[in-house]
Amino acid sequence: MARRTAEEQAFRDTLKKLNLTWAYLDGPQFAEQVKAEDATFKALMTRIGLAR
């Protein structure tokens, strides 16, 4: 259902009005993306002294 909604033109038009970019990932792909972003932000926060 989420993928079907994400592919609807009305949804994409609303994103464009809000100046947002369309992106969709299935569960496993989304989990990998979150994992990668978590590592990136952890490294950044460690480098600037906000995390250990």
Side-chain angles (χ1 to χ4, degrees):
M1 183 169 174
R3 182 178 192 98
R4 197 171 4 156
T5 300
E7 291 176 345
E8 289 181 5
Q9 190 60 47
F11 180 76
R12 291 181 183 218
D13 292 344
T14 300
L15 290 176
K16 187 174 183 179
K17 287 178 188 175
L18 296 171
N19 199 31
L20 298 172
T21 303
W22 180 90
Y24 178 85
L25 297 173
D26 287 325
Q29 293 169 319
F30 181 74
E32 285 299 315
Q33 179 68 29
V34 169
K35 191 176 184 182
E37 288 178 1
D38 185 50
T40 298
F41 284 109
K42 183 178 181 181
L44 174 63
M45 293 184 69
T46 299
R47 186 171 26 172
I48 64 174
L50 294 176
R52 294 185 227 173

